[in-house]
Amino acid sequence: MQYFMDFGIVNIETVKNTTIMKTKIFFGMLFVAFLTVAGMTACSDDKEPEIPAFVENARILENGEILSPGTIVHLEGQGYLETDDVTLNFFWETGDKLIPEGSIKGYYAKVISKSSNGITIQMPYRKPASRVEVNLMRNGKIMNIGNVNLTNGLTPTELNLYGVYNATKIEVGLEKQITRWVTEDNLTSDLESWTLGIHPDFHSAVGVYRAYGICGLSKENDKQYPFFFDLCTQEWSKLSDINTIALFSNGGVIGAIQSGDGKLYGTNVISDNLERSENYASSRASSPQPTLKFTLPDGVNAEQFGEYPGAFTPQYILLSANKGNGKWIPVLFHPYNGFATLDEIDADRLIPFSVRTTTKDEKENSQWISGFIVVRGESENGCRSLFYAIDDNLSLTKEPVASYLNKALSAAANYDRPGTLTVHFEAYRSGNVTSEYSFDKQEWTPISVFGSFDEIVWIN
């Protein structure tokens, strides 16, 4: 008898003989394994594996307690060393029958202080509610000190629209601050605000998915660097020590156009080390890629960039250079080909934009609409903000693809609503006005939440 199988015709007798032979081999190997294990057991002293105890009277002051993210935890005992590390193992219920428990292991805790009599650490943010093992690591060996329970520290999955007021474009008498302003449903958010504090010139704001913070440019010692404001810890961190002329984001990463010598410029991803709420077990650090560097276009200098964030597309990054006296130059930057410029434009502002559009089939590559908002001082055809797209010839379309009565201040894409662009406009009564444009429907939908900011950005 023969059976048809995926890779041809197989004789059933051959299958039977082969199966019998494999069964005999299996039981023979099993018997040998049994004798080996029995011999090992007989030679042992019935002792458990030795657990290192290189700290005497080791304990956690908060052992067994339920703690919030950011809480300080005290490791006590005698014999701690300056070279010791503290690692955390997180365990939580997933609600999944197949994989009932999730875990993060070997997470390095943030150490606040060390002495021979103890170490203090800070419990992390952006982790699920978990049972947490607190371990001391010395020379590759692990000693468990105790356990605590951590409450939920995951950041929001839904995006919110944030406003940045830095008094560079409008004067409203507010303290320079960041405000969580509009929910994903375009309703009023909790309106929580954070002062810009040590970075009052913070501008060119961009975000990245599930990092729960905002990145922007700020001056330090006469140079400009990317700084990140962490909404969990309310702390600032410098994401790069390289002078930066522009930032951009595609929702997944934050990139910077930078120069170490002030002559040659290239792109770097600066968000790899930001902690996010998703993707717990894997590192976000990527293998460094060689960065090609290029000179700036003729007639353009570094100080003319960075007033607005760059707009990302898979082919290039759109930048605007302010030459002063109402003159702007649209600039395209390709990471492997360098800078290219379009014709100079007369405008009050030139704001790059890009949106990922909807696709009919998920397997299709995402399409992008990108271009520049040309903001006029005087009305043109009844509008002061004209939206020009970049065509296939890398030129601006002859006619605007959209327009608006008021002067645009800032534009931000909500990647959870493909094909839309949120734009914040100047107004003079009841705060500025904000509206969302659908490139598919070719219509504006007003956001009926008033507020006056220099910039807006969608983040979660």
Side-chain angles (χ1 to χ4, degrees):
M1 183 185 297
Q2 291 180 332
Y3 283 82
F4 287 90
M5 303 184 72
D6 290 341
F7 299 102
I9 302 173
V10 177
N11 186 282
I12 190 61
E13 296 301 326
T14 302
V15 172
K16 287 180 179 179
N17 293 335
T18 303
T19 302
I20 292 170
M21 184 177 295
K22 287 183 177 180
T23 303
K24 289 180 178 179
I25 293 172
F26 170 77
F27 280 107
M29 294 175 66
L30 185 63
F31 180 70
V32 172
F34 172 79
L35 291 177
T36 302
V37 173
M40 291 174 64
T41 304
C43 294
S44 71
D45 293 327
D46 297 323
K47 290 182 178 180
E48 295 293 330
E50 182 181 354
I51 298 174
F54 29 75
V55 173
E56 294 182 5
N57 301 317
R59 63 186 292 269
I60 293 176
L61 181 62
E62 298 81 8
N63 196 66
E65 294 183 13
I66 299 174
L67 307 177
S68 300
T71 300
I72 302 299
V73 171
H74 303 80
L75 285 68
E76 299 181 332
Q78 294 81 45
Y80 290 98
L81 300 179
E82 185 64 31
T83 54
D84 288 341
D85 289 310
V86 179
T87 61
L88 307 176
N89 295 334
F90 302 84
F91 303 92
W92 66 90
E93 296 180 0
T94 65
D96 189 320
K97 292 182 179 179
L98 295 177
I99 308 175
E101 184 177 70
S103 67
I104 309 167
K105 296 183 179 180
Y107 178 94
Y108 281 83
K110 180 180 180 180
V111 174
I112 305 301
S113 66
K114 287 182 179 180
S115 73
S116 61
N117 296 324
I119 297 178
T120 59
I121 63 170
Q122 184 177 37
M123 297 305 292
Y125 295 84
R126 300 176 173 86
K127 299 294 180 286
S130 310
R131 172 177 59 85
V132 185
E133 294 178 352
V134 181
N135 300 313
L136 190 71
M137 187 168 71
R138 180 181 296 176
N139 298 326
K141 295 182 179 181
I142 299 293
M143 176 184 179
N144 179 253
I145 307 298
N147 302 274
V148 296
N149 298 289
L150 185 66
T151 60
N152 182 31
L154 296 181
T155 58
T157 57
E158 69 281 356
L159 287 119
N160 279 266
L161 187 63
Y162 286 70
V164 179
Y165 175 65
N166 51 30
T168 59
K169 300 181 181 69
I170 58 173
E171 291 286 348
V172 296
L174 293 174
E175 181 182 18
K176 296 179 180 181
Q177 61 190 16
I178 297 169
T179 300
R180 184 163 51 233
W181 178 38
V182 173
T183 69
E184 192 172 37
D185 296 324
N186 288 346
L187 302 175
T188 305
S189 186
D190 58 11
L191 298 179
E192 185 172 358
S193 295
W194 300 266
T195 177
L196 292 182
I198 60 175
H199 297 290
D201 62 333
F202 182 77
H203 68 283
S204 196
V206 295
V208 67
Y209 186 71
R210 296 305 297 276
Y212 199 54
I214 299 176
C215 183
L217 296 175
S218 181
K219 287 284 185 71
E220 183 180 83
N221 298 325
D222 296 326
K223 291 188 177 182
Q224 189 166 249
Y225 303 102
F227 288 89
F228 181 80
F229 182 70
D230 189 322
L231 291 165
C232 284
T233 65
Q234 299 176 32
E235 296 174 343
W236 293 94
S237 59
K238 186 193 290 187
L239 297 190
S240 173
D241 289 319
I242 304 175
N243 193 37
T244 304
I245 63 170
L247 297 175
F248 60 92
S249 173
N250 64 356
V253 300
I254 297 172
I257 299 179
Q258 304 177 308
S259 174
D261 60 6
K263 299 177 181 179
L264 298 175
Y265 293 82
T267 56
N268 292 303
V269 173
I270 59 173
S271 56
D272 276 347
N273 292 325
L274 290 178
E275 223 175 336
R276 308 193 202 182
S277 278
E278 90 295 354
N279 200 16
Y280 309 112
S282 63
S283 169
R284 277 166 293 281
S286 57
S287 300
Q289 300 294 321
T291 299
L292 300 181
K293 297 181 179 181
F294 307 91
T295 58
L296 294 176
D298 291 340
V300 179
N301 61 57
E303 289 70 27
Q304 295 169 345
F305 290 94
E307 191 164 339
Y308 302 99
F312 171 88
T313 77
Q315 290 77 35
Y316 42 75
I317 300 155
L318 277 64
L319 306 166
S320 60
N322 185 359
K323 299 201 71 176
N325 298 318
K327 305 290 184 182
W328 291 79
I329 294 183
V331 180
L332 307 182
F333 178 77
H334 191 284
Y336 299 108
N337 297 324
F339 296 92
T341 59
L342 306 184
D343 292 339
E344 186 176 276
I345 293 176
D346 292 324
D348 279 7
R349 302 181 186 116
L350 187 66
I351 305 174
F353 74 87
S354 67
V355 299
R356 185 187 290 117
T357 64
T358 54
T359 57
K360 295 180 180 179
D361 192 308
E362 292 182 357
K363 295 181 181 179
E364 294 181 16
N365 292 326
S366 294
Q367 302 297 312
W368 295 72
I369 296 175
S370 60
F372 293 89
I373 307 172
V374 178
V375 182
R376 303 290 192 191
E378 299 296 331
S379 175
E380 183 173 320
N381 297 324
C383 295
R384 293 189 177 187
S385 294
L386 307 172
F387 296 67
Y388 291 90
I390 297 288
D391 60 24
D392 294 336
N393 297 319
L394 300 185
S395 300
L396 292 179
T397 53
K398 292 183 178 180
E399 298 296 329
V401 295
S403 59
Y404 201 89
L405 174 65
N406 299 59
K407 297 169 70 173
L409 282 162
S410 179
N414 181 341
Y415 292 115
D416 282 358
R417 284 203 288 269
T420 65
L421 185 69
T422 308
V423 188
H424 193 57
F425 297 94
E426 278 189 31
Y428 307 99
R429 291 179 297 177
S430 302
N432 291 337
V433 296
T434 309
S435 198
E436 182 179 85
Y437 185 73
S438 168
F439 287 89
D440 182 35
K441 298 178 181 178
Q442 297 185 359
E443 64 182 26
W444 290 97
T445 301
I447 296 175
S448 58
V449 180
F450 293 114
S452 294
F453 305 100
D454 290 289
E455 302 181 35
I456 57 172
V457 59
W458 285 101
I459 68 160
N460 62 357

